Amino acid sequence: MNALKGLSRAREISQNREKRPFELREEGKTIIGYLCCFAPPEIIHAAGAVPYRITGRLGDSTSEVDSFLEPYGCPYVRNVFSQSLKGRLDFLQGLVISHSCDMVQRLYGIWTYYRPLPYSRLVNVPHQLFPWSQDFYQRELVFFKESLENYCGVTIDHEALKESISLYNRIRCSLQELYRLRGGKQPLLLSSELMEVLIAGEVLPPEEFLELLNEVIEEAGARKQPVNYGTRVLVWGSILDHPQLYRLIEKAGGQVVADDTCLGTRFWNQEVPAAGDPYESLKEHYLVNFQCPRTDRGTDPGRFAYLRDMARDFQAEGIIGYTISFCDPHKLDYPDLRDYLEKCGYPMLLIDDDYSLQNEGAITTRIQAFTEMLSGQA
Amino acid sequence: MSSEMKKAKRHLQTTKKMKEMLPRFFMRMMERRESDPVAWCMVGVPPELLKAFNVLWEWPENFGTLCAANMAAPRFIEVAEGEGYSPELCSYVTNTLGYCRLYLEHGEPPPETPPTGGMTRPSMMLGSGFACDPRWKWFQAVGTRYFKVPVYSSDPLSPPWDMDINDPRIKEHYLDLLRRDFQGQVNFLEEQTGKKLDTKALREILKLSQEALWYWREVLKMRSHVPSPMGSTDYFSAIIPQMYMVGEQEAVDFYREMYEEVKEKTKKREGIVDEEKYRLIWFGLPPWYNLGMFNYLEEHGAVVVYESTYNVGEWIDLDPDDPLEALVQRTWERTALMHRYGTETMPELCNPAVFGGFTGSRLLNELKEEYQLDGAIMHQTRSCRVMSFGQIHTRNRLSELGIPSLIFESDMADPRHWSDAQVKNRVHAFLETINKDSNS
C-alpha cells in the first residue's frame, strides 16, 4: 500500500496519474476512460469496471497529433489525444466520449479510427432541454448501459446502479465538506490543494477516492491556522484539470473560494437523487443541472444567477474567468456573463490561454493587478 | 486586405443572371409591413416550413457571406471584438453581433451595410444546432444582448460513425428526437404567427422543392464529364436558391434553366478552361471575399469539379402525403446516407434543410473514379473549426487513394487572414506536385 496519506498522496497521484491505473490493470481490472461530464461514471462503475477520467497534461507538446488533428483544433482535445498517442493511456480497455461540444465529439471519430480500443462509445447529448431532448438523453444512457453490459458480460440492474450512485453521493458529500473548508471565512484548504484532490478523484476507483477524501478532511480540518488570507475570488471557465492556475492566483494574492468548473463544482455540487428511476436521476444531474455553456438555457441573463449566488454565498469579491483557445461555448457566453456579474457588483478578469499557462509572468501580473483592485475596492 | 482575387468570374449564363434574381431575393423585405413577423433563421431551418407559414426571413449566415464579399465584415467583426467577443469566434457570428450593435446605435442598418441591404429587426429567431455549437449560441447571444425576441433553436443529432443505424431501436431513438423537434418548431411558428400550419400548402411547396433539387442534382452530376462544364464560382453562387428558396417556383425555374445550359455544354464537350489539366475536389467553406481564387486556379488549368460543402447529395424520394413527416424522413434519410459514407470526421450532419457535407472515406473512393480527380484543395478556416476539423483525416484517406491534397489557411468572412502571395505560392507548389505524381 501507499505510504503517503491525505494531501501528500493526492499530490503524488495528480503528478503521476497513470501509475494507479496501470497497477489496477495488472490486477486484472477493466479500466474504461471517459471524457467530459455527460457519460456518468456511476454507470461504468455499476458494470464492475473502473471509471478513469481522461485528463490532459498542461503545456505538453502535442506534435504527435499533427498527423491526425488540425492545429486550430481545441488545444485541450489535441493534448488529450496526444496522451493516447504517447502510450500513456495504454491501460484503457474502453473509451467513452460524450458529445459535450463540437471538438470533443469530433475527437471520438478520430480517436476510434486511428487508435481503436476493445470497447468504445459515444454518448450523444442534446444541447436543448426540451422534454424530447431530455427523453433522448435518458434513452442514450440506457443504450450506454446496454453496451457496457455486452462488453463486460454483466447485467446492470437498477439496484446495482443505485449502489454506485449512492457511493458517488458519499463522495459528493465529502467533497462538499472540503469545499466548505476551502471557502469558509478562515480557509483551511488551498484551492491548489483541493484541485490535486479532485484530480486524484478522476484517477482512483471511487472506493479508494472516498478513503482519500476522509484523510484529507481530517488533515485540513486539524489545521489551526487559515492557509490563506488572500482576496476571495470565484473561478469560472473551461476545463481546469491542473492546479497551476490556482497556484498563480494564490501567488498573486488571491484565494479561490469557489469555482464553476467541470472537474469541480459543476460535477460534484449536488447529490444525484437516490429514489426513483436511476436514469432519470442521472439525466437530471448530468444534463439538466450541469452548468456547462454547451447547454442552451435561453436568452435571459438570469441564467447566470447561479454564479451570482455562488459568489454571494462564498463571499467572493470578484470573478476570474479562464477560457481555453477555441472554446466556443465559453467564449460566446463571456461578454454577457461579464456584464451580468458586473451589474451584480462582481468585477471580472478573463484569462485566455492555450492550455499551457506558458505566459506565467504576464498572467500573474494581471491577476495581481486584479486582486489589488479588488482589495482596494473593499 | 486588398486582393487580386476579389472579383470572381462566373462561366454560366444562368448564374450570371443571378444578379437580377438576387436583388429580388433580398428586396422582398422592403415590401413588408411593419406588423409582419420577421424571423432571423439559421441554416438548418427548412425554407419550406417558413414558406408554408409565409414568414419573412433573414439569414445571418448568408448576410455574413455578403458582408465578406463587400468588405463590410471587418468593420462589423471589429465592433463585436470591442464588445468582448474573441477574434477566434466564427466570423459569421461576430459579423452579426457587430452589425446588431451598430443597428441599435443607428436605429436602422448602419452605413457600412452592403448595397443589397441590411437585415431588419427580428420579431423571432429560429436557430439550429445542426453542424456546430456557435450556430445556436449565436442567437442566444443576439437574444440576450441585442434583440430580446423569442428564440427556438432546433437540435437535430446524428448517430456517431460506428453506430449501427440499421438497428430499429437506434433509428427510432433518433427519429423520435427529430420528429418531436420538428413539431416543436411548428408549434413555435404557430404561436409567433398566430396561424396554423397549412398542410396543403406545405405539400405543394415540398413538390416544388423536390423538383428544383432534381434539376440541381443533375447539374452537379454532369460535372463528372471531362471537361467539366461548370466550376466553383458558379457552384458557390448557385447554392443560394438551394439554401433559402427551395419550395418556390423561382428556384425551380432557375435550376431548370441551369440544367438546360449545362446539358448543352456537356453535349458540346465545352469546358470552362482551354485545357483542363487538373480536376480538383474542394473541401471547406470558400473565401467569400476572394472567390476569384477559383479563377486563378482555372488560369492554370485547374478546375474544381466537386465541392463537399453545401452538397445536396443524392436523390431522396418523398411521400408528401404527410408533408411534415416527409421532412422528417428526408432529414433522416440524408443523415443515414452520409453515415453510410462514413462520418468519422463530420458527425453533426443531421440537417433538416436540403444539404450536407459529404466527406466520408467510402465516398472518396467513389468520387475518385466518377469525377476523375487529380487533387484536393482544403480551406482551413481559422474561425470555423467545424468545417476544418477532419481535413487532415480526409487528406490521409485521399493520400491512400493516391490523391494529393493542399491544405491552406485563411477565413471564410474575415479577410485579415488572407495573403495573395502565400496562396499563389501554395497553389503553384501543389500543382507541381500533381504533375510530378502523374509523371512518376
Side-chain angles (χ1 to χ4, degrees), chain B residues 230-345:
Chain B
M230 180 183 148
S232 273
T233 49
D234 292 298
Y235 176 80
F236 284 119
S237 309
I239 58 167
I240 289 181
Q242 155 206 312
M243 293 174 86
Y244 311 111
M245 299 167 75
V246 286
E248 299 188 21
Q249 186 60 44
E250 219 172 345
V252 178
D253 298 343
F254 172 76
Y255 287 125
R256 187 194 291 122
E257 202 178 323
M258 197 171 179
Y259 168 77
E260 297 299 343
E261 186 185 357
V262 173
K263 197 170 153 193
E264 192 59 25
K265 279 171 80 81
T266 309
K267 212 156 72 185
K268 289 190 199 154
R269 298 180 60 81
E270 213 176 279
I272 59 166
V273 293
D274 292 339
E275 192 193 348
E276 191 178 272
K277 289 194 217 158
Y278 315 98
R279 295 171 62 82
L280 307 177
I281 178 169
W282 173 271
F283 293 90
L285 298 169
W288 290 106
Y289 45 86
N290 282 341
L291 286 181
M293 177 194 172
F294 294 105
N295 300 131
Y296 183 76
L297 285 165
E298 288 157 12
E299 281 170 28
H300 295 84
V303 177
V304 173
V305 296
Y306 189 96
E307 297 80 5
S308 78
T309 318
Y310 307 116
N311 202 297
V312 277
E314 285 160 38
W315 175 255
I316 292 164
D317 239 345
L318 289 186
D319 174 10
D321 191 42
D322 177 349
L324 204 55
E325 180 60 19
L327 280 174
V328 171
Q329 292 299 333
R330 179 180 76 184
T331 309
W332 172 254
E333 286 305 320
R334 193 181 305 99
T335 306
L337 181 71
M338 287 187 273
H339 192 271
R340 282 192 282 277
Y341 281 139
T343 48
E344 63 274 17
T345 60

Side-chain angles (χ1 to χ4, degrees), chain B residues 13 15 17 46 50 78 97 181 202 224 241 269 280 314 336 383:
Chain B
Q13 293 309 315
T15 46
K17 276 202 314 202
L50 300 170
E78 277 164 17
L97 298 173
D181 192 34
L202 183 58
S224 63
R269 298 180 60 81
L280 307 177
E314 285 160 38
S383 80

Side-chain angles (χ1 to χ4, degrees), chain A residues 303-362:
Chain A
R303 69 182 186 273
F304 303 122
Y306 74 98
L307 263 172
R308 175 204 59 198
D309 296 347
M310 199 192 291
R312 186 195 54 213
D313 294 348
F314 284 91
Q315 295 113 42
E317 292 161 72
I319 317 288
I320 294 181
Y322 174 76
T323 53
I324 291 182
S325 308
F326 308 124
C327 182
D328 293 323
H330 282 88
K331 290 192 167 187
L332 274 159
D333 259 5
Y334 163 67
D336 292 328
L337 175 65
R338 174 202 60 200
D339 293 356
Y340 175 83
L341 289 171
E342 278 178 8
K343 261 187 215 156
C344 299
Y346 296 105
M348 184 167 183
L349 168 75
L350 184 71
I351 308 287
D352 192 21
D353 180 48
D354 60 356
Y355 191 64
S356 73
L357 288 179
Q358 223 170 18
N359 219 348
E360 196 183 312

